[in-house]
Amino acid sequence: MCYEYIAYFEEAFKTIEKNQTKVDDMVSDAFVQIFFHELGHCLIDVWELPATGREEDAVDQLAMILMLDGSPAGQKSAVNASLLWDIASKDDDKENMLFWDEHSFSKTRFYDMICLVYGSNPEKNSFMVSPTRLPRERAERCSEEYNRANRSWMKLLMPYILD
Ligand SMILES: [Zn+2]
């Protein structure tokens, strides 16, 4: 984890939030998401966990599942972490998209992450569904996406969890 990343988070969040205390919280939330994302890579590598899709997407899912602990604070952090990718997408060079990159495009990562937030509690999060936020066409599948991601990761991690 490099310090430059933290500085980038702050710069990014300052484009949508003026209150420094809130910016600091958003930076922490994004850091936690990236930390869990990197932890996911580590677990896949060390424990040789299966990942048949893009590993970058799989570990984003793990990070979101860990953050979405059912608490309002967890959800708020998960939303903030998602917003980073919405902001980052504004810097994308639309004429020169890196189709070969192992990461999904920033805007896709944003929608994938916010879909998991919504899907973790569709009733409570119905306000998120709108053409400018989470389009209904995607929202309809988010509950299943969340359940499948949660179920899959828990199944993979269960043998390593001591009770
Ligand atoms: Zn990664």
Side-chain angles (χ1 to χ4, degrees):
M1 303 290 297
C2 41
Y3 292 123
E4 288 85 351
Y5 230 9
I6 310 295
Y8 168 72
F9 294 166
E10 182 171 12
E11 195 183 311
F13 284 123
K14 275 183 169 174
T15 65
I16 61 164
E17 178 59 62
K18 289 191 168 56
N19 182 309
Q20 186 61 43
T21 308
K22 287 184 183 171
V23 168
D24 290 345
D25 286 345
M26 293 166 124
V27 170
S28 302
D29 296 335
F31 179 83
V32 168
Q33 198 272 339
I34 299 282
F35 180 83
F36 284 147
H37 171 110
E38 299 302 337
L39 176 69
H41 283 307
C42 173
L43 297 180
I44 287 173
D45 185 43
V46 174
W47 289 341
E48 299 182 342
L49 298 180
T52 61
R54 295 177 125 197
E55 186 174 314
E56 295 299 335
D57 294 341
V59 299
D60 263 350
Q61 290 177 352
L62 173 66
M64 294 306 281
I65 286 161
L66 294 177
M67 293 179 83
L68 291 164
D69 60 1
S71 72
Q75 164 148 336
K76 191 177 169 209
S77 297
V79 168
N80 284 342
S82 308
L83 285 173
L84 177 71
W85 300 106
D86 191 33
I87 300 165
S89 73
K90 290 168 190 154
D91 293 332
D92 283 346
D93 179 358
K94 306 283 187 296
E95 300 297 311
N96 191 24
M97 301 296 276
L98 304 180
F99 291 105
W100 46 261
D101 193 79
E102 72 269 32
H103 298 89
S104 292
F105 295 124
S106 297
K107 197 77 173 181
T108 305
R109 290 180 83 172
F110 164 71
Y111 281 119
D112 285 349
M113 289 162 72
I114 213 72
C115 177
L116 292 176
V117 174
Y118 169 75
S120 69
N121 195 339
E123 265 176 46
K124 190 179 139 207
N125 296 323
S126 58
F127 69 94
M128 291 180 176
V129 181
S130 83
T132 54
R133 290 179 173 175
L134 179 63
R136 181 164 301 285
E137 293 89 330
R138 178 66 183 270
E140 282 170 358
R141 294 196 300 273
C142 292
S143 179
E144 182 51 33
E145 279 189 46
Y146 171 80
N147 288 332
R148 191 182 307 117
N150 190 34
R151 192 172 63 228
S152 301
W153 268 108
M154 288 309 122
K155 214 169 196 173
L156 291 174
L157 297 178
M158 203 50 80
Y160 303 94
I161 295 173
L162 302 173
D163 51 14

